[in-house]
Amino acid sequence: MAWIQTVDEADATGIVKEEYDAALERAGQLFNIVRLFSVRPKSMRAFVELYKVVMHDEDCPLSRMQREMIATVVSKVNQCHY
């Protein structure tokens, strides 16, 4: 598996710190997918915004449970281990 150097929580500044703090508030932990984007802060912010729309938008015709189930199946099919 590939390994990418990410920004540690203690070293985070600017956008990365803001997004780390928001992720911790939202989920109570910092998932590796968020850490992965720390090397590209603008991409990180865009990813988080896309995630919030896809998974949390109340105007979506799918329930949150359905969206989570789809994400789980896609991760399994893609052999994603996180």
Side-chain angles (χ1 to χ4, degrees):
M1 177 180 275
W3 182 77
I4 297 172
Q5 180 70 40
T6 61
V7 176
D8 189 75
E9 271 183 81
D11 299 327
T13 61
I15 291 172
V16 175
K17 177 155 179 43
E18 290 170 17
E19 294 300 338
Y20 277 8
D21 290 347
L24 287 167
E25 187 173 323
R26 235 183 355 265
Q29 63 179 329
L30 195 53
F31 289 101
N32 285 335
I33 188 68
V34 175
R35 289 179 200 273
L36 175 65
F37 279 97
S38 67
V39 296
R40 300 289 309 246
K42 289 180 183 177
S43 296
M44 175 188 238
R45 179 151 287 158
F47 164 76
V48 170
E49 287 305 312
L50 175 63
Y51 168 79
K52 290 191 298 191
V53 169
V54 169
M55 296 306 289
H56 297 278
D57 186 14
E58 293 182 15
D59 293 331
C60 181
L62 300 175
S63 71
R64 175 70 193 271
M65 183 182 293
Q66 289 170 316
R67 289 179 272 181
E68 290 288 352
M69 288 174 20
I70 291 168
T72 300
V73 170
V74 169
S75 292
K76 179 68 175 169
V77 167
N78 290 332
Q79 298 179 347
C80 180
H81 301 286
Y82 63 86

